[in-house]
């Protein structure tokens, strides 16, 4: 694998035949053959109702997606111009200056984001995947869902990880778009890809403050496929199920003191790693009406590590835990680390943890299937309200 800075000139080949601006994608199938100026080529449209981080607008033969650059604090926006294949590429001037131009519908994509992979799969577009990160490809060897995605993809090749992308592999696959994770401040995955001339697309739904806003990013991914109708339908289903759980538990599980934490050394937990108020799960707790024991001085988007003493102080009154580790790992840790039993939820088996057989799949789908996530939490907290439900991603200790 070669460093991106040494092979950036090769990225020009990714701009496509007949391109008139940097970052333009190669041609796609299903192109318009009778272009007429002023005609609306996008009969199906999406609106953004929940997200605080992106928006979309339609302009007859092209659409623009504008989103927050979560990696940088300058307040600048990322802009993608998606123009219908067979129509003229808009000029990169005025509001479109500096945008990434991509012909749609895309037919050759690479995916390095767990969340984006779940969305591409849900939209039925796995056949467009020609490249995957090594991590995603590796998961196919141990998880049936990943294996199914890879088998339905277009013989995807490994394209590297995060900032260390294999440009030659992306070039060979004529990649039109790379769906990448936008991890937020302190990361530069998207910035590095774009600086090298690669069509990196930030899928930063995990940075949203609200669960439904995170799920709504399926509309953003869907726009690259002209699959707005499918994306709108999928999101509507998720929202309906989510709202149903909220109505069921409203006012019925108050006064619970809950913590969302990681405890297993195998997954790199620093004894106890607690999520605070600004994480997606922290906001789900607020939605459910329970108190987050790790909320105090814990407003970072990914929570913060706690040592044993800090954890005891924060969670001494907790009556329930959501543990984001596989159940078997949790139970093994409890057997080998007796200090954990000083936490009442572990003493009383009042906790839920990841369903072992679904753990890897759920890691990819959690920020999309927020209806499943909130249902699993609610079922764990108040099983009497969901007598016929069994956890999909999280389940109670037996």
């Amino acid at each position: 694998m070669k460093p991106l800075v040494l092979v950036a000139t090769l990225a020009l080949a990714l701009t496509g035949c007949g391109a008139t601006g940097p970052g333009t994608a190669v041609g796609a199938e299903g192109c318009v053959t009778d272009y007429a100026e002023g005609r609306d080529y996008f009969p199906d449209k999406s609106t953004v109702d929940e997200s605080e981080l992106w928006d979309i607008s339609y302009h007859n033969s092209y659409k623009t997606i504008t989103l927050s650059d979560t990696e940088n604090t300058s307040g600048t926006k990322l802009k993608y111009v998606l123009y219908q294949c067979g129509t003229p590429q808009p000029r990169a001037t005025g509001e479109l200056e500096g945008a990434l131009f991509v012909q749609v519908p895309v037919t050759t994509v690479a995916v390095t984001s767990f969340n984006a992979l779940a969305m591409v799969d849900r939209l039925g577009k796995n056949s467009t995947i020609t490249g995957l990160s090594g991590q995603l490809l590796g998961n196919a060897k141990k998880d049936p869902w990943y294996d199914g995605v890879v088998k339905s993809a277009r013989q995807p090749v490994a394209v590297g990880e995060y900032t260390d992308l294999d440009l030659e592999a992306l070039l060979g696959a004529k990649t039109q778009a790379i769906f990448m994770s936008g991890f937020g401040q302190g990361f530069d995955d998207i910035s590095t890809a774009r600086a090298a001339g690669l069509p990196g697309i930030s899928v930063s739904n995990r940075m949203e403050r609200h669960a439904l806003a995170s799920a709504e990013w399926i509309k953003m991914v869907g726009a690259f496929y002209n699959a707005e109708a499918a994306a709108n339908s999928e999101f509507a289903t998720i929202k309906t199920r989510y709202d149903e759980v909220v109505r069921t538990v409203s006012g019925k599980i108050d006064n619970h003191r809950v913590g969302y934490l990681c405890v297993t050394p195998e997954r790199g937990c620093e004894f106890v790693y607690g999520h605070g108020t600004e994480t997606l799960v922290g906001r789900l707790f607020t939605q459910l009406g329970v108190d987050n024991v790790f909320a105090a001085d814990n407003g970072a988007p990914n929570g913060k590590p706690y040592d044993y003493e800090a954890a005891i102080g924060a969670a001494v009154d907790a009556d329930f835990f959501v543990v984001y580790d596989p159940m078997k790992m949790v139970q093994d840790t409890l057997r080998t680390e007796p200090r954990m039993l000083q936490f009442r939820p572990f003493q009383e088996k009042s906790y839920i943890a990841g369903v072992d057989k679904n753990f890897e799949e759920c890691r990819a789908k959690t920020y999309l299937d927020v209806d499943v996530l909130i249902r699993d939490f609610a079922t764990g907290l108040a099983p009497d309200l969901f007598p016929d439900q069994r956890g999909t991603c999280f389940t109670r200790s037996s």
Side-chain angles (χ1 to χ4, degrees), residues 21 31 48 57-58 75 204 207 261 269 287 291 339 366 382 386:
C31 296
V48 180
S57 59
Y58 294 84
S204 45
M207 302 304 297
L261 71 164
C269 302
Q287 182 86 72
D291 293 327
R339 289 186 297 173
T366 294
F386 302 89

Side-chain angles (χ1 to χ4, degrees), residues 276-296:
T277 57
E278 299 304 311
T279 65
L280 180 144
V281 169
R283 292 178 180 278
L284 278 184
F285 285 168
T286 300
Q287 182 86 72
L288 290 169
V290 300
D291 293 327
N292 183 350
V293 298
F294 292 128

Side-chain angles (χ1 to χ4, degrees), residues 134-280:
Q135 188 176 15
L136 296 178
L137 274 174
N139 283 345
K141 299 177 181 178
K142 58 182 178 181
D143 180 84
W145 177 74
Y146 280 97
D147 183 56
V149 169
V150 171
K151 287 179 177 176
S152 59
R154 196 185 303 178
Q155 297 181 326
V157 298
V159 297
E161 310 286 345
Y162 306 116
T163 57
D164 190 18
L165 297 176
D166 186 339
L167 186 55
E168 292 188 35
L170 292 164
L171 176 67
K174 298 181 180 180
T175 308
Q176 296 171 264
I178 311 168
F179 293 121
M180 307 176 66
S181 296
F183 289 121
Q185 295 179 26
F187 297 86
D188 60 359
D189 299 36
I190 310 300
S191 304
T192 299
R194 291 297 302 275
L198 293 171
I201 308 300
S202 179
V203 182
S204 45
N205 61 311
R206 70 189 304 275
M207 302 304 297
E208 292 279 5
R209 298 193 304 163
H210 301 286
L212 287 173
S214 172
E216 193 173 30
W217 279 69
I218 193 172
K219 297 180 184 179
M220 197 279 280
V221 173
F224 284 82
Y225 291 100
N226 288 346
E228 278 89 343
N232 294 342
S233 176
E234 188 61 37
F235 177 71
T237 298
I238 292 170
K239 185 178 187 304
T240 296
R241 293 171 178 168
Y242 182 96
D243 290 343
E244 182 180 355
V245 173
V246 173
R247 286 194 298 270
T248 299
V249 303
S250 180
K252 299 176 183 176
I253 56 174
D254 297 342
N255 302 317
H256 277 72
R257 291 182 55 79
V258 181
Y260 183 68
L261 71 164
C262 173
V263 298
T264 60
E266 297 95 325
R267 297 224 306 126
C269 302
E270 194 170 330
F271 200 76
V272 171
Y273 195 103
H275 275 209
T277 57
E278 299 304 311
T279 65
L280 180 144

Side-chain angles (χ1 to χ4, degrees), residues 255-261 263 272 285 291-294 308 311-323 327 330-331 334 337-353 380-381 395-398:
N255 302 317
H256 277 72
R257 291 182 55 79
V258 181
Y260 183 68
L261 71 164
V263 298
V272 171
F285 285 168
D291 293 327
N292 183 350
V293 298
F294 292 128
Y308 178 68
I312 286 290
V316 64
D317 295 325
D319 52 45
F320 190 83
F321 282 154
V322 177
V323 189
M327 180 63 76
V330 174
Q331 293 175 336
L334 294 179
E337 181 48 82
R339 289 186 297 173
M340 286 293 183
L341 295 178
Q342 294 194 44
F343 294 104
R344 186 157 57 92
F346 289 139
Q347 293 175 18
E348 300 175 357
K349 295 187 176 181
S350 182
Y351 68 90
I352 57 176
L381 284 161
T395 188
R396 269 186 172 268
S397 172
S398 57

